[in-house]
Amino acid sequence: MSDLNKRMIEEYRNDFLKEVEANVEEGEWVKMCMQCGVCSGSCPLGKHWAHPPQEIFMMIRAGKRDEVLTSDSMWMCTSCYNCIVRCPRQLPITHIMHGLATYSKKLGLVPKGQPTATFAEIFWNNMMKKGRVNELKLGLALYFKDGFGPGIKEALRNKDLGTKMMKAKRMSPAEFFGGHGIKDVSGLQKMIKKAQELEEARMKKFD
Amino acid sequence: MSDEKKFAAYICTGCGIGDRLDAGQLENVATREGRMNVVKQHEMLCSKEGVKMIQDDIDNDGVTHVVIAACSRRAKMEAFAFPQTEVAITRANLREGVIWARPDTDEAKETTQEMAEDYIRMSCGEIKQMNPPKPSGQQGRNPNVLVVGGGVTGMTAALEAADAGYTVHLVEKTGALGGHVAKLHKRVPFRAAPPGTPNTPDANLPMPEDTGIEELIKRVEENDSIKVYLNSRITKTSGAPGRFSVDISAESGDTVTENIGSIVQATGFTLYDPSELKEFNYAGSPDVVTNLEFEELTNAAGDGPIKRPSDGKEVKAVVFVQDVGQNSDEEGKLPYDSGVGDLVAIKQALYCKHHNGDDCDTTIVYNNLRTPGAPGEDFYRSGQKNGVIFTKGDVKEVIPGDTLTVKMHDKILDEDADVHADLVVLDVGMVPNSGPDPYAANESLEGMSDEERAEELEAQAEAAAAEEAGGPSVSVESILNLDYRQGTDLPQLKWGFTDSHFICFPYETRRTGIYAAGPVRRPMDIKQAMDDATGAAMKAIQEIENAAQGRAAHPRVGDLSYPTFRKEGCTQCKRCTVECPFGAIDEDEERYPQYNESRCRRCGTCMGACPVRVISFENYSVNTVGAQIKECSIPEEWDEKPRILVLACENDAYPALDQAAIAGEEISPWARVIPVRCLGSVSLSWVTDSLNNGFDGIIMMGCKRGDDYQCHFVRGSAMANERMAKVGDTLESLNLEPERVVVHEVAITDIERVPALIKDMEETIEKIGLSPFKF
Ligand code: SF4
Ligand code: SF4
Ligand code: SF4
Ligand code: SF4
């Protein structure tokens, strides 16, 4: 897919909009935005992002492919659904945000070290191993995501919480060794792989 | 009807009037002081029996002049609608004007009764100066409507009038009917998407549709009641509604004269010429076109793709630049926005998608996207759905070249951008075809003294005469060529659009019987213009019927009185001919004023203007109001009961006073209100007389004047204001304080403010003391 990233986009043309329509979940809605700004005004986080939703949609229409796909804005969405509820044009804004994030990940354009993206990746890999999320390993992987030193620090900082979770049987140290899983892990993995292939095949190529 | 006059007063005791007032005493006042021949009470005068009592007196007892002392003249108008030409009628406002305006307390009883008695005296005085109006008989019923302009507005007006049974003369200056619309490829849809249409990107939304112009032209051509004059102009319009004489001259030089009842002016618009706006390079590149030229390009494309003018290349990217030369204070640009340009751009962008395929890029650079009308929002969505890119921005420059570059500032992303295009379409605005403004030169008259004004007018008249004799020609060609004393065409309100009373009466112009419709009145689209044409046609028909009976048009609808002047007294000062807001007065060969009944709106501005007071209506004159002022009792100084005269415009101020009373607002017991037709009709002599009679204060209440006027007679209120500037001299000569006379602008909704204004005067009088002119 990465050949997609090399193409030249003419500004204020439909090229990128069409790409978003084809390859981003609910992307066909972007053109219907009337730039009222209600979403950006409603977003509890909007003012902390580089590009709140209204602006992202305008950027897509202006053909700002790189800026949109390498932006970390859509990763910041907390799925609070404020915008969806209020958009007078009824755009599924939250879903478009996640769709854009997914697409940017697919193209390998996610900003390095973007925490939401990192977490999502750790979560996905963790879950794919056994078909269930291993809380202990997920926690540890998160602590050590920036290396050994910071990992130890982070683990110590959260040790009280960890102890409590263990006492309450929300987490088990035994999980460290293997951990629980579903019956047919390889079946699940095959299924996901097939789904990914199907999705890949549906992606439109632009040049 | 014999010439014998018999005066009668009828006092109603219903609606609580009898409980609050001593009706027997009122009867005494009417008989002894008012010297009425007949005085009767009735417990409910507006009832069938009450009205019959009056009618019987008229029919059997020879009563010719009637005072109805009951509710406001604005109430129960149908009940008391006795034939105008047989009886003179006035109303003493005892209900809204007295009992509802005053508190029901023991202390207030005396002053309330005094107020009522004064209104009886005043009405009895007034009625003696009144006579039943007689229409002039200047014109009969002429069922011919002249429609000027053969575009969609003119044709619609013609068809509407013809369908209603009138004959239409339709004059078009070009060689074909259809106007601008005939040049369009398609029109903006007339209807919104059906209710319940979803917001989804695949919703079924309205698309550009056929203009329907051929069908309309066919209907006009096939209509036996419509006579079409192509390649023709109006070279002269004289007369008045019901008896216009119109010269229609063909290019060939042939002229026919038609008798016309009323006129619809549907002369449309010309598109703004963007050549002078260098930044857009309209003159510099054939690929920069106006929105109308783009229609022609699309028509030329037939079923194939739209090609650009320079080299015939198939267009792949188009930028629409909105609001070109519009909405700007800058010299040479239009100060307003046409309002429909964004709809047009959406329509044209959709042409591109249709003719040149989905991958033809279309970008609309707007400032404020406006999509008025029922289908507006759906049509906008239709554009979005089909991939038209909308962006809020300022276009700085269009750079010509093989590919045009549009340099703009994107206002949402707040950054500069270059957009490349094969074709740039400029959204240019509509400039009304209203002909020369008859009052353009008169603006210089504002604030001039009498002498300066007279000189200036004389100079203007001479210049006009010189022009007629073959001097320099006017830059804007006249459309109607009216031979009115006040100029050749419809007066303009703002920015060249024809004047109208935009709040109450949009089609009405300042020339009675001539109705403006379509974009000559304000910028509008096809649908609006067709609705507008229907409205104007209805007004034109109404005026034909009004003129036939000598009835006034808006706002004194149905009034049969009309002004005449006493020739022996006239000094030929020309004030009336110049100040009539409706150009109703011409000059005869001896240079005396010549009144045209059916052009007149009965405002009385001429009456207020006449320095020698020779202009009057049968039922409204310097004397009818003068008598009311005279008959109002003025208590002795030691009674400490001031008198405040309120001259209230009957259109807004008087109803506001009524409404105030209905709402339970208290009105000063010292106020005596006299309704006037318009502040413009107020004669300076009323002010002088009332001050001499011992009134302590005078309040004049009229409608808002100026550019955004609300005066029902357009200029009446402004005229009054100019004239009242001179009141200061009168006050000075009488040695009175200037605060005693005030002029206020009042709206019909000012129901709390109006009583407060009177209260203010009461306080002023308390401060400066009573007038020394009490006897
Ligand atoms: S609220 Fe909806 S229409 Fe408004 S800017 Fe946001 S996405 Fe666009
Ligand atoms: S759902 Fe996401 S984009 Fe929408 S308001 Fe919430 S945080 Fe903002
Ligand atoms: S000033 Fe008013 S009343 Fe007098 S002629 Fe003109 S329209 Fe009629
Ligand atoms: S204003 Fe009076 S005096 Fe002057 S021309 Fe008119 S009628 Fe005659």
Side-chain angles (χ1 to χ4, degrees):
Chain A
M1 291 296 319
S2 50
D3 55 334
L4 264 182
N5 299 339
K6 290 193 198 83
R7 64 201 195 96
M8 278 294 295
I9 295 274
E10 177 82 73
E11 293 201 339
Y12 299 92
R13 295 279 175 91
N14 285 12
D15 315 42
F16 183 40
L17 181 68
K18 285 207 173 123
E19 182 180 340
V20 168
E21 281 184 5
N23 293 351
V24 173
E25 197 184 337
E26 307 279 15
E28 67 278 15
W29 279 89
V30 171
K31 62 190 175 194
M32 300 310 287
C33 164
M34 63 171 174
Q35 292 293 311
C36 68
V38 165
C39 51
S40 301
S42 306
C43 181
L45 296 157
K47 56 173 178 277
H48 305 291
W49 310 356
H51 312 295
Q54 171 209 5
E55 207 171 290
I56 288 270
F57 299 155
M58 192 62 233
M59 288 164 76
I60 293 174
R61 283 148 37 159
K64 299 188 167 297
R65 186 174 191 276
D66 287 355
E67 277 158 78
V68 171
L69 294 176
T70 59
S71 158
D72 82 338
S73 291
M74 55 271 192
W75 294 98
M76 306 285 275
C77 171
T78 61
S79 310
C80 74
Y81 282 80
N82 255 355
C83 51
I84 287 206
V85 171
R86 294 189 182 164
C87 172
R89 285 290 185 81
Q90 295 176 308
L91 265 74
I93 302 162
T94 317
H95 306 234
I96 304 170
M97 286 297 155
H98 297 323
L100 283 170
T102 310
Y103 190 50
S104 113
K105 161 86 181 143
K106 235 174 226 143
L107 301 180
L109 293 174
V110 183
K112 267 219 165 54
Q114 209 295 326
T116 322
T118 312
F119 171 77
E121 185 154 14
I122 293 171
F123 183 95
W124 177 262
N125 292 341
N126 180 309
M127 195 266 298
M128 281 305 287
K129 271 210 186 97
K130 296 262 170 187
R132 281 191 200 280
V133 175
N134 184 319
E135 301 281 356
L136 184 71
K137 285 186 182 163
L138 181 66
L140 289 175
L142 271 180
Y143 296 166
F144 290 92
K145 74 175 168 33
D146 299 325
F148 190 71
I152 295 287
K153 237 199 215 154
E154 196 62 20
L156 284 175
R157 200 164 68 82
N158 282 303
K159 79 173 186 321
D160 286 354
L161 180 70
T163 320
K164 275 184 197 157
M165 281 177 79
M166 281 186 225
K167 268 193 190 145
K169 297 211 162 58
R170 307 302 306 169
M171 199 164 78
S172 159
E175 289 284 305
F176 193 73
F177 312 97
H180 71 296
I182 56 166
K183 273 186 202 143
D184 184 12
V185 177
S186 78
L188 172 80
Q189 287 168 340
K190 267 189 218 135
M191 197 169 82
I192 299 282
K193 191 157 180 273
K194 182 76 198 164
Q196 281 173 329
E197 276 168 18
L198 287 173
E199 196 178 64
E200 199 81 351
R202 229 181 39 206
M203 283 283 147
K204 237 173 148 175
K205 306 225 185 314
F206 292 86
D207 48 17
Chain B
M1 198 182 75
S2 70
D3 285 345
E4 196 107 332
K5 291 182 183 176
K6 191 160 186 177
F7 299 95
Y10 300 92
I11 300 164
C12 179
T13 55
C15 288
I17 298 173
D19 303 334
R20 296 278 307 277
L21 300 171
D22 180 345
Q25 185 53 32
L26 295 179
E27 217 181 300
N28 281 342
V29 171
T31 317
R32 299 213 189 112
E33 297 179 50
R35 293 173 191 284
M36 295 287 105
N37 309 108
V38 179
V39 182
K40 289 182 181 172
Q41 286 185 35
H42 195 278
E43 59 192 14
M44 198 184 177
L45 207 51
C46 59
S47 66
K48 232 195 240 146
E49 300 75 38
V51 173
K52 185 167 182 301
M53 175 176 85
I54 303 173
Q55 189 65 54
D56 284 348
D57 285 356
I58 295 169
D59 295 341
N60 311 324
D61 211 16
V63 165
T64 54
H65 289 65
V66 174
V67 173
I68 293 170
C71 40
S72 164
R73 61 178 58 208
R74 307 202 28 112
K76 305 285 173 198
M77 284 151 86
E78 295 83 13
F80 299 127
F82 301 107
Q84 276 186 68
T85 50
E86 286 165 33
V87 273
I89 302 171
T90 189
R91 308 266 302 258
N93 188 355
L94 300 185
R95 193 179 69 175
E96 289 85 343
V98 182
I99 62 162
W100 288 358
R102 299 296 309 141
D104 187 5
T105 59
D106 284 343
E107 307 88 77
K109 213 169 172 63
E110 182 188 307
T111 50
T112 307
Q113 176 75 19
E114 284 171 4
M115 212 172 178
E117 288 174 17
D118 264 347
Y119 281 129
I120 299 278
R121 283 184 199 102
M122 290 158 75
S123 296
C124 292
E126 180 193 13
I127 197 78
K128 292 206 202 92
Q129 301 295 335
M130 291 172 70
N131 281 312
K134 291 186 220 44
S136 70
Q138 277 176 348
Q139 66 282 317
R141 185 174 182 278
N142 183 325
N144 299 325
V145 179
L146 171 73
V147 176
V148 188
V152 75
T153 315
M155 286 194 290
T156 307
L159 284 167
E160 293 288 346
D163 287 351
Y166 294 76
T167 309
V168 179
H169 297 271
L170 177 60
V171 177
E172 164 57 39
K173 72 169 181 227
T174 70
L177 292 174
H180 269 102
V181 179
K183 297 181 194 152
L184 304 186
H185 179 60
K186 296 211 167 189
R187 73 183 183 199
V188 171
F190 276 15
R191 296 174 79 91
T197 302
N199 270 328
T200 48
D202 58 358
N204 195 5
L205 295 166
M207 292 292 280
E209 58 192 27
D210 281 339
T211 60
I213 196 75
E214 272 141 41
E215 162 72 17
L216 199 63
I217 294 173
K218 197 162 150 250
R219 279 177 59 206
V220 168
E221 284 171 348
E222 284 173 359
N223 196 310
D224 293 336
S225 305
I226 303 175
K227 183 158 186 216
V228 179
Y229 303 75
L230 295 176
N231 294 314
S232 298
R233 291 176 164 278
I234 311 294
T235 41
K236 185 174 171 190
T237 305
S238 58
R243 56 175 177 87
F244 282 120
S245 167
V246 179
D247 289 355
I248 304 168
S249 305
E251 232 165 36
S252 62
D254 296 347
T255 296
V256 290
T257 304
E258 295 288 354
N259 292 319
I260 298 292
S262 60
I263 301 173
V264 174
Q265 180 174 334
T267 40
F269 65 98
T270 307
L271 279 177
Y272 174 85
D273 178 2
S275 311
E276 292 302 312
L277 310 178
K278 298 287 175 251
E279 63 272 33
F280 297 113
N281 261 304
Y282 174 64
S285 166
D287 296 332
V288 179
V289 298
T290 66
N291 39 11
L292 185 64
E293 286 162 347
F294 188 73
E295 296 285 338
E296 285 156 10
L297 280 183
T298 312
N299 279 333
D303 289 335
I306 299 166
K307 296 180 176 141
R308 67 181 193 183
S310 59
D311 55 4
K313 174 180 171 260
E314 198 173 305
V315 170
K316 279 282 160 219
V318 186
V319 172
F320 294 86
V321 183
Q322 296 308 100
D323 279 351
V324 167
Q326 303 189 59
N327 240 345
S328 167
D329 302 335
E330 285 166 41
E331 177 80 27
K333 297 190 182 176
L334 302 180
Y336 55 89
D337 192 289
S338 287
V340 299
D342 296 334
L343 285 168
V344 171
I346 295 170
K347 178 185 77 169
Q348 296 182 338
L350 287 168
Y351 293 168
C352 298
K353 296 285 181 192
H354 179 76
H355 284 262
N356 295 28
D358 188 38
D359 54 351
C360 174
D361 287 315
T362 52
T363 307
I364 297 180
V365 187
Y366 63 89
N367 184 17
N368 287 304
L369 198 77
R370 293 175 183 83
T371 56
E377 177 69 2
D378 287 341
F379 196 48
Y380 173 25
R381 287 203 288 139
S382 188
Q384 290 183 297
K385 168 190 157 177
N386 288 290
V388 178
I389 300 233
F390 291 84
T391 179
K392 186 178 171 79
D394 256 346
V395 171
K396 305 278 181 218
E397 200 184 350
V398 178
I399 302 171
D402 185 35
T403 301
L404 298 154
T405 305
V406 178
K407 286 189 142 346
M408 67 142 179
H409 182 79
D410 186 313
K411 285 185 175 171
I412 289 171
L413 303 178
D414 192 21
E415 60 184 30
D416 292 332
D418 288 355
V419 189
H420 300 288
D422 302 320
L423 194 70
V424 170
V425 182
L426 304 180
D427 161 39
V428 290
M430 297 158 115
V431 183
N433 291 337
S434 25
D437 184 3
Y439 297 135
N442 285 37
E443 270 160 32
S444 58
L445 295 179
E446 309 271 336
M448 277 190 181
S449 74
D450 270 6
E451 295 73 35
E452 287 168 338
R453 178 192 287 267
E455 264 172 44
E456 172 65 25
L457 284 171
E458 204 55 48
Q460 281 175 20
E462 269 166 34
E467 221 164 73
E468 233 167 73
S473 70
V474 266
S475 51
V476 185
E477 205 168 341
S478 169
I479 289 163
L480 296 173
N481 279 301
L482 292 165
D483 77 341
Y484 288 17
R485 164 74 173 80
Q486 286 191 26
T488 56
D489 287 85
L490 291 178
Q492 297 167 15
L493 174 61
K494 237 187 199 177
W495 307 326
F497 293 94
T498 52
D499 196 355
S500 66
H501 191 270
F502 55 89
I503 297 176
C504 302
F505 245 99
Y507 310 109
E508 210 67 73
T509 67
R510 279 176 66 181
R511 294 294 177 258
T512 311
I514 307 176
Y515 300 93
V520 71
R521 203 165 69 67
R522 62 169 177 77
M524 57 178 83
D525 64 14
I526 301 173
K527 178 81 173 73
Q528 291 171 322
M530 290 174 86
D531 291 348
D532 215 49
T534 309
M538 295 302 116
K539 290 304 296 176
I541 289 171
Q542 187 190 47
E543 182 51 27
I544 283 175
E545 302 307 332
N546 274 339
Q549 299 166 52
R551 290 157 49 97
H554 169 82
R556 290 190 59 83
V557 186
D559 189 359
L560 294 179
S561 71
Y562 97 101
T564 50
F565 77 113
R566 203 162 40 79
K567 197 166 177 179
E568 311 79 64
C570 170
T571 60
Q572 298 196 336
C573 75
K574 297 190 190 5
R575 280 210 155 249
C576 56
T577 53
V578 170
E579 292 192 7
C580 169
F582 303 100
I585 316 171
D586 291 330
E587 264 166 45
D588 66 11
E589 307 81 47
E590 298 169 62
R591 311 196 77 184
Y592 280 109
Q594 189 173 45
Y595 283 81
N596 293 280
E597 180 198 50
S598 60
R599 284 195 220 160
C600 167
R601 300 280 181 87
R602 284 71 165 172
C603 60
T605 299
C606 50
M607 182 176 121
C610 181
V612 290
R613 287 174 252 155
V614 296
I615 302 173
S616 62
F617 298 78
E618 297 280 10
N619 53 7
Y620 183 66
S621 63
V622 172
N623 292 342
T624 60
V625 176
Q628 296 179 68
I629 292 168
K630 205 167 118 239
E631 294 304 327
C632 178
S633 72
I634 304 289
E636 303 291 352
E637 211 175 336
W638 49 83
D639 282 340
E640 293 189 355
K641 288 176 175 168
R643 285 292 176 261
I644 300 167
L645 177 67
V646 182
L647 295 168
C649 159
E650 65 178 10
N651 295 297
D652 272 21
Y654 199 76
L657 280 160
D658 279 355
Q659 284 299 320
I662 292 167
E665 298 283 336
E666 236 177 75
I667 289 166
S668 165
W670 319 133
R672 298 296 179 261
V673 183
I674 299 178
V676 295
R677 291 190 172 185
C678 172
L679 269 201
S681 71
V682 171
S683 164
L684 212 52
S685 67
W686 299 341
V687 177
T688 323
D689 288 355
S690 45
L691 290 172
N692 275 320
N693 282 5
F695 274 94
D696 303 280
I698 301 172
I699 307 173
M700 281 170 265
M701 294 182 181
C703 303
K704 192 169 168 36
R705 54 182 181 268
D707 259 2
D708 47 354
Y709 69 88
Q710 291 186 14
C711 175
H712 291 59
F713 298 108
V714 188
R715 290 281 298 156
S717 182
M719 288 292 176
N721 200 56
E722 274 177 40
R723 289 178 206 147
M724 289 310 147
K726 288 181 213 106
V727 167
D729 303 342
T730 314
L731 287 160
E732 209 172 300
S733 69
L734 293 171
N735 226 343
L736 285 170
E737 299 78 357
E739 304 93 290
R740 289 194 193 271
V741 182
V742 294
V743 183
H744 289 300
E745 287 181 358
V746 163
I748 199 160
T749 46
D750 283 347
I751 57 176
E752 277 154 28
R753 183 171 159 251
V754 169
L757 292 174
I758 303 177
K759 187 87 192 144
D760 285 351
M761 180 56 86
E762 200 182 317
E763 280 161 15
T764 304
I765 294 166
E766 241 166 69
K767 233 181 284 155
I768 59 178
L770 293 181
S771 154
F773 286 89
K774 312 246 178 199
F775 299 96

